[in-house]
Amino acid sequence: MKKITKETLAKYNGLNEETENKIYLAVNGLVFDVTSGSQFYGPGAPYGVFAGKDATYGLANNKVEINKDEAEELSESQKKTAKEWQTLFEGKYELVGELIN
Ligand code: HEM
């Protein structure tokens, strides 16, 4: 699978002509092209904070925010929640790569 760094991911925030204003987000180390969900993730949209980011922490915690403490471990139930989001994304969006540091 294509490896995508966090730095590259950040360019896919819907506001970058270099990436054709595409929107990617990552969950559980997988990067999805969520451009077709711009009503959710586009600039100013309710979940726009996830655009170009690793959204695992927010999705797992049911919070519209990005993890600040990268070392923080998820509980089993949080992992389950994140996995459910992953399943939704797999069914709805194109998987474009794997998130690396
Ligand atoms: C008052 C609380 C909330 C309400 C009423 C709400 C409502 C909704 C609705 C109506 C949709 C659209 C569903 C669809 O059309 O397919 C949606 C999508 C979504 N919600 Fe929420 N939501 C709330 C809180 C949250 C929170 C706290 C999160 C944080 C994880 C979240 C994450 C998402 C995401 C990621 C999507 C888009 C999923 C996709 O790409 O299809 N929501 N929400």
Side-chain angles (χ1 to χ4, degrees), residues 2 5 31 33 35 40 44 63 67 71-72 82 86-88 94:
K2 189 172 161 189
T5 64
V31 180
D33 181 345
T35 310
F40 301 130
K63 287 181 181 166
N67 193 4
E72 194 175 314
Q86 180 187 324
T87 302
L88 175 91
E94 188 194 350

Side-chain angles (χ1 to χ4, degrees), residues 53-93:
K53 298 278 170 51
D54 179 358
T56 308
Y57 171 88
L59 294 171
N61 287 281
N62 212 31
K63 287 181 181 166
V64 186
E65 63 182 48
I66 298 302
N67 193 4
K68 286 150 253 158
D69 178 7
E70 302 250 332
E72 194 175 314
E73 286 273 334
L74 297 179
S75 70
E76 287 308 310
S77 81
Q78 289 167 338
K79 281 182 190 165
K80 186 169 171 281
T81 302
K83 185 78 192 167
E84 286 166 4
W85 282 106
Q86 180 187 324
T87 302
L88 175 91
F89 292 132
E90 283 169 343
K92 187 170 178 183
Y93 301 113

Side-chain angles (χ1 to χ4, degrees), residues 18 20 36 47 50-51 61 69-70 73 88-89 98 101:
E18 196 188 327
E20 299 169 315
S36 66
Y47 312 114
F50 294 144
N61 287 281
D69 178 7
E70 302 250 332
E73 286 273 334
L88 175 91
F89 292 132
E98 170 188 4
N101 278 310

